[in-house]
C-alpha cells in the first residue's frame, strides 16, 4: 500500500527537522533518506552514548514508515549487531514501549532516535528482547560490559580492543566455525572456551 499524503507530508517535515537540528548533531544522531520517492525507508545512525560500553561506536538503524504513520509507530531495527538486553543480538529487533503500545501520534522520529540512544545508556533487563544478554547483565554485569564493548568494536567501530576475547574467537575459528558464530557462542557462555565449543558442536 502506498504511503498516504499525511504520512509523506509529516515525514518531509520531520526529516528537515532532524537533518538541520544542532541537538541531533551534538548527540551524534543522523538520518538519511534512501532512494525512495515515497519516503518510506530511511537509515538512521546513533552514536554510542558517553560512559557506556557503546561509547565511540556508531550504530545503523533501518526505519520503515508505515502507510498509517503517524497514527502508528515506525518499524525500526538495528542493522548493526549489538550486545544489549533490549535489542536482539540476532535480528536487531528492539523492545521499546514507544515503538509498540505507548506510541502517540504527536511523537516524531526525533523522539524515537533520542529514546533509542537513551536506551543504550539505560538498559531495562527486566523487560528484555534478548534473554541471554539480559541474564548476563543481571548475573554478571562486568562480563556484560566487557562483552558489549567487544561487540561495539567488532561491529560498530568502537574503540575497545580485547585481545583475550579475540584470541578465543580465533581458536574456535581454527576449528572450522564462522567468526560470528564463535563470537555469539563465547558471549553466551561467559567466554568459557570449552562451553562455547561444546554449544557449537551440539548445533
Amino acid at each position: 500500500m502506498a504511503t498516504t499524503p499525511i504520512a509523506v507530508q509529516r515525514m518531509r517535515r520531520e526529516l528537515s527537522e532532524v537533518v538541520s537540528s544542532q541537538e541531533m548533531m551534538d548527540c551524534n544522531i543522523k538520518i538519511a533518506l534512501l532512494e525512495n520517492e515515497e519516503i518510506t525507508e530511511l537509515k538512521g545512525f546513533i552514536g554510542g552514548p558517553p560512559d557506556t560500553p557503546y561509547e565511540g561506536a556508531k550504530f545503523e538503524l533501518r526505519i520503515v514508515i508505515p502507510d498509517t504513520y503517524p497514527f502508528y509507530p515506525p518499524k525500526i531495527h538495528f542493522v548493526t549487531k549489538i550486545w544489549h538486553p533490549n535489542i536482539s543480538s540476532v535480528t536487531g529487533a528492539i523492545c521499546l514501549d514507544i515503538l509498540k503500545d505507548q506510541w502517540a501520534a504527536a511523537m516524531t522520529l526525533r523522539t524515537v532516535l533520542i529514546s533509542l540512544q537513551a536506551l543504550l545508556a539505560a538498559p531495562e533487563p527486566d523487560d528484555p528482547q534478548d534473554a541471554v544478554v539480559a541474564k548476563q547483565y543481571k548475573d554478571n554485569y562486568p562480563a556484560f560490559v566487557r562483552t558489549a564493548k567487544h561487540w561495539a568494536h567488532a561491529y560498530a567501530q568502537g574503540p575497545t580492543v580485547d585481545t583475550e576475547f579475540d584470541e578465543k574467537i580465533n581458536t574456535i575459528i581454527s576449528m572450522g566455525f564462522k567468526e560470528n558464530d564463535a563470537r555469539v557462542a563465547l558471549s553466551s557462555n561467559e567466554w568459557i572456551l570449552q562451553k562455547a565449543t561444546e554449544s557449537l558442536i551440539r548445533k
Side-chain angles (χ1 to χ4, degrees):
M1 186 181 293
T3 306
T4 64
I6 292 175
V8 171
Q9 184 178 9
R10 171 77 173 257
M11 281 308 306
R12 283 178 178 154
R13 185 174 73 247
E14 288 191 30
L15 278 169
S16 177
E17 289 174 353
V18 172
V19 170
S20 63
S21 169
Q22 186 61 47
E23 178 193 19
M24 296 293 94
M25 294 179 191
D26 292 343
C27 292
N28 199 13
I29 295 175
K30 299 177 183 177
I31 199 165
L33 181 64
L34 300 182
E35 291 184 8
N36 187 322
E37 292 181 359
E38 294 185 346
I39 319 181
T40 57
E41 293 189 31
L42 307 100
K43 284 183 180 180
F45 299 93
I46 294 179
D51 303 318
T52 73
Y54 314 105
E55 181 174 8
K58 181 179 181 181
F59 300 93
E60 180 182 339
L61 310 169
R62 181 169 182 258
I63 304 167
V64 177
I65 306 301
D67 60 284
T68 50
Y69 189 81
F71 305 106
Y72 286 83
K75 300 176 191 284
I76 303 179
H77 74 268
F78 273 71
V79 175
T80 308
K81 289 184 177 294
I82 185 172
W83 191 254
H84 187 287
N86 305 110
I87 304 162
S88 170
S89 59
V90 178
T91 66
I94 304 164
C95 181
L96 183 65
D97 55 4
I98 66 168
L99 292 178
K100 298 185 292 183
D101 56 342
Q102 296 302 310
W103 174 260
M107 294 178 178
T108 65
L109 279 179
R110 172 188 169 280
T111 308
V112 173
L113 293 171
I114 289 176
S115 297
L116 286 173
Q117 193 175 58
L119 185 66
L120 296 188
E124 298 179 7
D126 291 326
D127 186 24
Q129 178 71 40
D130 196 309
V132 172
V133 183
K135 185 176 188 306
Q136 185 184 70
Y137 183 97
K138 296 171 74 171
D139 295 349
N140 190 348
Y141 183 73
F144 161 77
V145 170
R146 192 174 171 188
T147 303
K149 286 182 177 180
H150 172 77
W151 278 54
H153 172 73
Y155 297 113
Q157 305 166 37
T160 303
V161 177
D162 195 316
T163 53
E164 180 185 352
F165 283 3
D166 288 341
E167 287 173 2
K168 289 184 177 182
I169 289 171
N170 287 332
T171 297
I172 293 182
I173 290 173
S174 70
M175 300 176 191
F177 295 102
K178 295 179 179 179
E179 180 180 340
N180 183 68
D181 293 341
R183 180 171 290 108
V184 170
L186 285 161
S187 300
S188 304
N189 288 280
E190 304 299 332
W191 292 88
I192 299 171
L193 192 57
Q194 182 177 348
K195 288 178 66 176
T197 305
E198 289 173 354
S199 73
L200 286 167
I201 291 172
R202 285 196 299 269
K203 282 188 176 181

